[in-house]
Amino acid sequence: MKRVVLISCAAKKSACSAPAEKLYQSTLFTKSLAFAKTLKPDAIFILSAKHHLLNLNTRVEPYNVTLNKFTKQQIKEWSQIVLNQLRDANFDLQNDEFTILAGKSYYQDLIGAGKIEKYTLPYKDCKGIGYILKFLTDKLKE
């Protein structure tokens, strides 16, 4: 069994090409990544609206795409590509444990029967970005 963390991308990006973990510049993303690293998973990936599943060291050009502007069908298609990428990378969607640091639009079609089955959603009960940032700040102090 492997442990995997999936982090959503962010709108705020550096102005030039960078490794994915350096491209996204928002406080939420940087704290999410720091928290993900404290979990000592086997892998951390970024859920990118444009690029689907990104390795932290994949070099990426700045872009302006968000799942918030996708239709439900486009999100389903995006999610299927992400699931296929995880399978292609030899992750077991039924038995590996996934921590998803993302909003509902990113995870809703990734989880459930026949998809990612063992998962935690640390942000699920947080009512807005302020609560998520407080949660992360508290976790990073532990």
Side-chain angles (χ1 to χ4, degrees):
M1 176 198 67
K2 297 174 192 161
R3 294 183 316 127
V4 181
V5 179
L6 304 175
I7 305 171
S8 62
C9 62
K12 186 175 179 186
K13 299 172 186 72
S14 68
C16 57
S17 172
E21 73 176 309
K22 304 270 189 222
L23 180 74
Y24 304 100
Q25 302 286 307
S26 75
T27 302
L28 176 59
F29 178 83
T30 55
K31 285 189 176 209
S32 294
L33 181 58
F35 174 61
K37 289 179 178 181
T38 70
L39 300 175
K40 298 184 178 18
D42 296 294
I44 299 172
F45 295 101
I46 299 166
L47 296 170
S48 164
K50 181 175 182 177
H51 301 287
H52 306 89
L53 193 69
L54 282 174
N55 286 304
L56 297 181
N57 60 356
T58 299
R59 193 160 204 70
V60 182
E61 294 289 332
Y63 63 92
N64 187 20
V65 178
T66 175
L67 284 188
N68 295 332
K69 294 185 179 178
F70 281 26
T71 65
K72 287 183 181 186
Q73 183 59 37
Q74 288 172 316
I75 291 174
K76 283 181 192 284
E77 292 167 4
W78 174 89
S79 297
Q80 192 56 56
I81 292 169
V82 169
L83 293 169
N84 289 340
Q85 288 176 306
L86 287 166
R87 284 186 198 99
D88 290 347
N90 294 314
F91 291 101
D92 183 336
L93 301 183
Q94 283 69 49
N95 295 304
D96 290 341
E97 293 182 359
F98 291 81
T99 299
I100 304 173
L101 303 175
K104 189 174 183 178
S105 60
Y106 282 86
Y107 70 73
Q108 65 189 354
D109 290 315
L110 294 176
I111 61 175
K115 300 176 185 176
I116 295 173
E117 293 188 17
K118 291 184 179 180
Y119 58 88
T120 56
L121 304 169
Y123 300 165
K124 186 176 182 190
D125 295 326
C126 295
K127 307 281 189 242
I129 192 167
Y131 290 96
I132 295 171
L133 290 172
K134 181 179 181 337
F135 166 84
L136 289 168
T137 299
D138 292 347
K139 287 292 186 183
L140 290 169
K141 287 180 183 175
E142 290 178 0

